[in-house]
């Protein structure tokens, strides 16, 4: 059977794309190498009786129109904002509440960030409507300004100083913006990282609930699922994509292929370089990744006093100078002596994640290099991450360290192996102006299209605009091109 669309990857983006495409009447199949759906939106048991989402605690909320189209409320995928986030220094702390009711200046700034992220998504979707597939050799059109372009030449520190003023609040927001990432807040263009503050999605009962809801939506719409098999190549015929090859030697014919992997992984994994036009090879080779996150999952054999008021993020000693120093160490391939650390007591919001009377705490570490200058990720290097996370836990919650019964360290190579994310980069590429605006390396083939006819990208480029936004954009584009007869 020949499909209208074959989707590589059953994470949130792939499942959203499958549900929307199948609902439009397209014959759709999803290929996933894991035995179950979810990608980063998973929840797993890391120690008997203790569960957590290994790659992230929260995701950007799904845009309202996509959430409604997928009928996710009925399926139990309910996003709830964290009530507050906390920053702790040795001598003080600051708390930012979700409604920011006592700080109208801060509320206006957070609303501005959400508006910018929404405007970027709206612009990207508008590009889809205006731009039919163009060949690799078509000349680029003169682009209109993108929402947020003023931040591409502005340091993060300068924006916060202008918009927030209060030094502790500014450091707090900088740490939140760079949680699990890396950038020098004093360098031009680093303000773009503020777009990642559009994180508001804590999913009741863990991120695995979202995966189950999206899988249900895709299956109900009629999409087929093929789990436990690797896609090995994207096949070309007559200068266009014709389907995908599978590890068992079989193949799937499809008029369109949607890859939910990042740009580099898509082209490095599924194509022979000598079979691609040199323009593609050059563009992909110059695309920069910025994997910088590690995670440590802690199982504690006790409850934590005050956990009920700490259901949001807890940033440890956030200051701009430390973020800059961590960025320098990351670029040198070393582990900084003071990594940025964000803690979350995830079982405080969802007690089912831990045994009765126990606690699950996650630590997200930023500025962690994928490639170490002195060799591979050894047990000793992983232990360095555990020690830094444990020290942060003890600082935030004195006495908690003695109650740890298990700790699971997830380094950048583990993220790459599990999710196919190049260098463990969950954002799909360095968040920089030349890679963000214009939706990728091909200005004449705006995201989610690329110069290979029939191939569409649904990686995490639109992550700051909402979970499922990239998958929905790919689905909309494929449906439009199918209806226009461009994928015969």
């Amino acid at each position: 059977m020949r499909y209208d669309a074959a989707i590589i990857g059953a994470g949130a983006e792939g499942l959203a794309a499958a549900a929307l495409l199948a609902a439009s009447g397209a014959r759709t199949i999803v290929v996933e190498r894991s035995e179950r759906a979810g990608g980063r939106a998973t929840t797993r048991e890391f120690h008997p009786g203790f569960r957590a989402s290994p790659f992230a605690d929260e995701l950007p909320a799904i845009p309202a129109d996509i959430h409604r189209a997928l009928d996710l409320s009925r399926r139990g995928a309910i996003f709830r904002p964290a009530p507050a986030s906390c920053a702790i220094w040795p001598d003080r702390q600051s708390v930012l509440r979700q409604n920011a009711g006592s700080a109208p200046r801060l509320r206006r700034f957070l609303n501005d960030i959400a508006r910018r992220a929404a405007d970027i998504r709206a612009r990207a979707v508008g590009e889809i409507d205006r731009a039919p597939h163009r060949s690799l050799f078509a000349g680029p059109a003169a682009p209109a300004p993108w929402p947020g372009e003023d931040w591409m030449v502005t340091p993060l520190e300068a924006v916060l100083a202008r918009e927030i003023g209060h030094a502790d609040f500014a450091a707090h927001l900088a740490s939140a913006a760079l949680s699990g990432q890396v950038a020098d807040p004093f360098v031009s263009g680093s303000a773009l990282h503020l777009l990642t503050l559009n994180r508001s999605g804590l999913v009741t009962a863990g991120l695995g609930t979202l995966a189950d809801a999206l899988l249900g939506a895709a299956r109900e719409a009629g999409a087929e699922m093929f789990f436990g098999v690797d896609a090995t190549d994207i096949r070309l015929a007559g200068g266009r994509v014709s389907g995908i090859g599978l590890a068992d030697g079989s193949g799937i014919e499809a008029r369109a292929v949607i890859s939910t992997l990042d740009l580099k992984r898509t082209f490095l994994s599924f194509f022979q370089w000598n079979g691609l036009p040199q323009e593609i090879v050059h563009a992909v080779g110059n695309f920069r990744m910025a994997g910088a996150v590690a995670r440590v999952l802690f199982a504690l054999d006790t409850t934590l006093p005050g956990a009920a008021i700490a259901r949001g993020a807890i940033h440890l000693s956030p200051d701009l100078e430390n973020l800059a120093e961590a960025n320098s160490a990351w670029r040198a391939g070393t582990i900084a002596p003071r990594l940025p650390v964000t803690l979350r007591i995830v079982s405080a919001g969802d007690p089912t994640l831990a045994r009765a009377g126990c606690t699950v705490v996650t630590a997200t570490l930023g500025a962690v290099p994928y490639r170490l200058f002195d060799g591979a990720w050894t047990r000793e290097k992983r232990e360095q991450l555990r020690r830094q996370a444990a020290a942060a836990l003890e600082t935030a919650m004195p006495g908690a360290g003695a109650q740890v019964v298990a700790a699971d360290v997830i380094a950048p190579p583990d993220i790459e192996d599990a999710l196919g994310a190049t260098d463990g980069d969950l954002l799909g590429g360095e968040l920089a102006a030349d890679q963000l605006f214009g939706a990728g390396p091909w200005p004449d083939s705006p995201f989610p299209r690329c110069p290979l006819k029939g191939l569409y990208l649904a990686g995490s480029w639109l992550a700051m605009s909402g979970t499922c936004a990239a998958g929905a954009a790919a689905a909309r584009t494929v449906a439009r091109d199918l209806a226009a007869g461009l994928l015969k």
Side-chain angles (χ1 to χ4, degrees):
M1 178 178 182
R2 190 183 187 207
Y3 293 87
D4 293 315
I7 300 171
I8 300 173
E13 306 302 331
L15 293 172
L20 295 171
L21 265 175
S24 75
R27 297 186 302 275
T28 306
I29 187 169
V30 180
V31 177
E32 168 58 50
R33 67 175 180 172
S34 177
E35 295 294 338
R36 59 165 299 166
R40 81 181 72 177
T42 59
T43 303
R44 67 172 173 82
E45 189 174 61
F46 66 95
H47 186 70
F50 296 86
R51 299 185 304 124
S53 299
F55 311 112
D57 297 311
E58 61 178 334
L59 297 173
I62 298 173
D65 59 323
I66 300 174
H67 198 281
R68 287 194 297 270
L70 297 172
D71 198 13
L72 294 181
S73 293
R74 175 174 65 86
R75 303 178 195 281
I78 306 299
F79 281 76
R80 55 182 176 82
S85 65
C86 180
I88 298 177
W89 288 266
D91 59 342
R92 66 195 188 282
Q93 69 177 34
S94 75
V95 175
L96 296 182
R97 303 197 179 280
Q98 176 66 26
N99 59 13
S102 60
R105 185 177 180 184
L106 175 61
R107 184 173 66 249
R108 285 194 300 270
F109 181 57
L110 295 176
N111 287 339
D112 178 54
I113 291 171
R115 178 187 57 77
R116 286 171 182 258
D119 287 349
I120 288 173
R121 174 175 172 256
R123 163 69 186 269
V125 172
E127 291 289 292
I128 291 168
D129 287 338
R130 286 193 297 270
H133 181 88
R134 290 191 288 269
S135 75
L136 177 66
F137 305 103
W146 276 79
E149 276 197 13
D150 54 318
W151 283 359
M152 77 182 193
V153 293
T154 309
L156 186 153
E157 177 273 336
V159 173
L160 292 175
R162 181 180 70 239
E163 300 292 343
I164 302 300
H166 191 289
D168 281 1
F169 280 2
H172 190 152
L173 285 177
S175 186
L178 294 176
S179 180
Q181 300 176 57
V182 63
D184 185 333
F186 299 100
V187 170
S188 176
S190 58
L192 289 173
H193 286 268
L194 288 167
L195 291 169
T196 65
L197 284 174
N198 188 40
R199 299 186 187 105
S200 58
L202 295 171
V203 183
T204 303
L207 296 182
T209 304
L210 173 61
D212 292 341
L214 288 168
L215 179 60
R219 282 180 163 158
E220 187 174 303
E224 296 182 37
M225 299 289 153
F226 198 177
F227 291 112
V229 63
D230 251 332
T232 56
D233 61 286
I234 296 175
R235 296 178 174 176
L236 300 173
R240 54 150 296 147
V241 166
S242 62
I244 60 177
L246 305 176
D248 62 6
S250 64
I252 295 173
E253 291 186 27
R255 294 200 281 170
V257 171
I258 297 175
S259 172
T260 65
L261 302 183
D262 61 73
L263 180 75
K264 277 193 177 293
R265 190 77 171 202
T266 295
F267 283 94
L268 290 174
S269 297
F270 299 128
F271 296 98
Q272 295 290 331
W273 278 110
N274 58 12
L276 292 173
Q278 284 303 303
E279 291 83 355
I280 291 181
V281 173
H282 180 74
V284 174
N286 287 336
F287 195 79
R288 303 181 304 280
M289 308 305 295
V293 64
R295 298 260 292 169
V296 182
L297 314 179
F298 289 111
L300 281 70
D301 195 18
T302 186
T303 55
L304 294 175
I309 64 171
R311 295 178 183 175
I314 305 170
H315 306 291
L316 273 296
S317 297
D319 60 79
L320 301 182
E321 290 74 17
N322 180 50
L323 292 171
E325 291 170 5
N327 173 73
S328 296
W330 175 81
R331 293 191 178 280
T334 62
I335 300 174
R338 283 183 59 212
L339 292 170
V341 180
T342 298
L343 301 174
R344 289 180 178 84
I345 308 172
V346 293
S347 58
D350 182 3
T352 66
L353 296 176
R355 296 196 301 244
C358 298
T359 305
V360 174
V361 178
T362 65
T364 301
L365 293 80
V368 180
Y370 172 82
R371 292 180 179 83
L372 298 169
F373 89 101
D374 57 351
W377 272 94
T378 62
R379 182 179 298 179
E380 178 184 356
K381 297 293 173 54
R382 293 170 185 271
E383 178 61 15
Q384 283 184 252
L385 299 181
R386 190 203 64 78
R387 285 198 299 268
Q388 288 213 38
L393 175 65
E394 186 64 23
T395 298
M397 294 156 257
Q403 304 300 321
V404 173
V405 295
D408 188 12
V409 177
I410 303 161
D414 304 324
I415 296 173
E416 181 179 66
D417 290 344
L419 301 180
T422 303
D423 293 356
D425 186 347
L426 294 178
L427 284 181
E430 181 182 329
L431 192 57
D434 63 326
Q435 299 195 160
L436 173 61
F437 299 109
W442 301 292
D444 58 327
S445 296
F447 174 92
R449 296 180 178 91
C450 77
L452 288 178
K453 186 177 181 181
L455 177 61
Y456 301 79
L457 305 176
S460 51
W461 179 83
L462 283 175
M464 74 291 297
S465 298
T467 301
C468 299
R476 179 177 180 178
T477 310
V478 170
R480 184 176 184 272
D481 289 355
L482 285 169
L486 299 177
L487 295 173
K488 293 180 179 179

